[in-house]
Amino acid sequence: MPSRQRSPLGPASSARQAALGLAWYDVEGDHSGDPAASSFSTGHLRGFEGVCELYVGDAARAHDRFVSAAGALAAPRERVQRAITATDQALARIRMGDPRSAADLLHECVLATAATGGRVPTIRLRRARSELRPWRREHWAVDLDDHLMDVLGS
């Protein structure tokens, strides 16, 4: 009986990898005749992979997945998802030790969130901003707070 290879992150990571494998199988399958074939795309799945990496993997790999996802989410109807992905990408930058670059990206996220009015991007933006608390007195963090207040009033 062959031995199962264990993930260094434990059974949860193995289950995550299996679920992502099934999702890729579905995304890459034949969708002819599916009336909602584009409702969940490669870009969405890359973003979800990034979220998995962000919370149970490696922030640098998460960042790379978010970059890939943002590039694939080009359609106008995917603006909300792009805003979510960019905000998650900023969170990855914070966890990689680059909070200033994250704040720069969050300025773009503020504008995208205001333009889309999306609830999920707003929640993600709040989470990313709270992770910048250790740097709250830095001028670039204060600028971000001012931008948030000016544009979103929050």
Side-chain angles (χ1 to χ4, degrees):
M1 182 168 162
S3 66
R4 291 179 55 195
Q5 186 176 14
R6 291 188 176 200
S7 166
L9 298 175
S13 181
S14 296
R16 172 182 53 100
Q17 288 300 99
L20 288 171
L22 288 172
W24 274 112
Y25 177 79
D26 185 55
V27 165
E28 293 172 342
D30 179 17
H31 295 282
S32 56
D34 184 346
S38 64
S39 63
F40 190 82
S41 67
T42 300
H44 289 89
L45 188 51
R46 283 271 180 239
F48 186 70
E49 284 178 323
V51 169
C52 291
E53 287 291 344
L54 187 62
Y55 290 99
V56 296
D58 177 82
R61 286 198 338 225
H63 186 273
D64 293 345
R65 298 217 193 246
F66 293 135
V67 169
S68 176
L73 295 165
R77 69 183 183 286
E78 295 173 327
R79 287 177 28 187
V80 171
Q81 192 63 39
R82 272 194 313 274
I84 294 167
T85 300
T87 306
D88 288 341
Q89 181 183 355
L91 187 55
R93 288 181 183 183
I94 295 167
R95 293 186 182 171
M96 291 167 49
D98 193 2
R100 184 168 184 163
S101 173
D104 291 341
L105 182 56
L106 288 172
H107 279 284
E108 296 173 31
C109 298
V110 168
L111 296 175
T113 300
T116 63
R119 192 185 81 187
V120 174
T122 302
I123 292 168
R124 298 283 177 84
L125 186 57
R126 181 178 301 133
R127 182 178 302 144
R129 176 55 191 100
S130 71
E131 296 246 353
L132 288 173
R133 279 192 184 125
W135 300 278
R136 70 183 170 273
R137 289 184 172 80
E138 298 291 333
H139 71 87
W140 46 265
V142 173
D143 289 345
L144 177 61
D145 287 342
D146 289 345
H147 192 198
L148 280 163
M149 289 301 291
D150 290 346
V151 175
L152 298 175
S154 59

